[in-house]
Amino acid sequence: MTFTNPRSSEYPVEPLFLDRWSPRAFDGSAVPPSDLLTILDAARWAPSAFNSQPWRFVYAVKGTPDFDKLLGLLNDFNKSWASDAGALVFLLSKTHLLPPGAQDEVPSYSHSLDAGAAWGSAALQASLLGYAAHGMTGIHLDKVHEVLGVPDGYRAELAFAIGKRGDKAKLPEGLQARETPSPRKPLAEVAFEGTFKA
Ligand SMILES: Cc1cc2nc3c(=O)[nH]c(=O)nc-3n(C[C@H](O)[C@H](O)[C@H](O)COP(=O)(O)O)c2cc1C
């Protein structure tokens, strides 16, 4: 299968940033655990406040009972396409951290931000390995803690599907049209020298 990528950047960024995107058509093959753990290993090298590393991952590989358990936490829309992914991952973040030298944990200002950096690294590592990763917040947030056995003190951030890209013809028509790398706002609309421009 040949895939083209219509994206172009304004400055000479590394191609991996443009090559990563979020398809919904997967080929249904399981992600080998060694590849999945490579992706999560890359994620844990993300930066975080006080190196607190608030990210936690709960994962499952296609074809296992755990995969069906995690799939059941997605909303119906996401379930409809993510069922063909080769692995599912739920990302949680620890809401409190222990500052250096402190006796007690304090609320972390940036636990979600830090977890987001880890998700970004996971998505890029997946892409570099020839997989696609697709993030989702369309999940049954009220059920995540109970179903996955997550204790208090962790926030469910997002789930992501990982897999090899598949034929978009098997997606519903509306989704087939969206099965292409999305554009971005111009850099000048999001990056300001000195003063914010609304
Ligand atoms: C936090 C987050 C939540 C998302 N939730 C969903 C979702 O529930 N369902 C879905 O199909 N895509 C979801 N996406 C995918 C985004 O729509 C996609 O990343 C965005 O349109 C940019 O496209 P790209 O990733 O292909 O560059 C989510 C992405 C992120 C980062």
Side-chain angles (χ1 to χ4, degrees), residues 7 17-18 20-24 75 77-78 81 119 133-139 157-159 175 178 180-184:
R7 289 173 164 173
F17 295 103
L18 281 72
R20 182 223 58 81
W21 65 285
S22 306
R24 294 190 179 84
N75 68 19
F77 170 72
N78 287 327
W81 56 265
W119 143 245
H134 193 135
M136 298 165 274
T137 46
I139 54 187
E157 300 290 354
L158 94 164
L175 286 184
R178 291 162 58 185
T180 187
S182 55
R184 289 297 183 268

Side-chain angles (χ1 to χ4, degrees), residues 16-17 19-22 39-40 42-43 57 116-135 158 160-162:
L16 79 152
F17 295 103
D19 290 344
R20 182 223 58 81
W21 65 285
S22 306
I39 290 164
L40 300 183
F57 304 98
W119 143 245
S121 295
L124 289 172
Q125 179 66 72
S127 181
L128 287 169
L129 288 173
Y131 296 97
H134 193 135
L158 94 164
F160 52 101
I162 305 174

Side-chain angles (χ1 to χ4, degrees), residues 54-77:
W55 41 77
R56 300 291 184 272
F57 304 98
V58 179
Y59 62 87
V61 172
K62 172 97 176 158
T64 66
D66 280 340
F67 185 91
D68 296 334
K69 183 172 83 172
L70 271 57
L71 189 68
L73 288 169
L74 306 182
N75 68 19
D76 286 345
F77 170 72

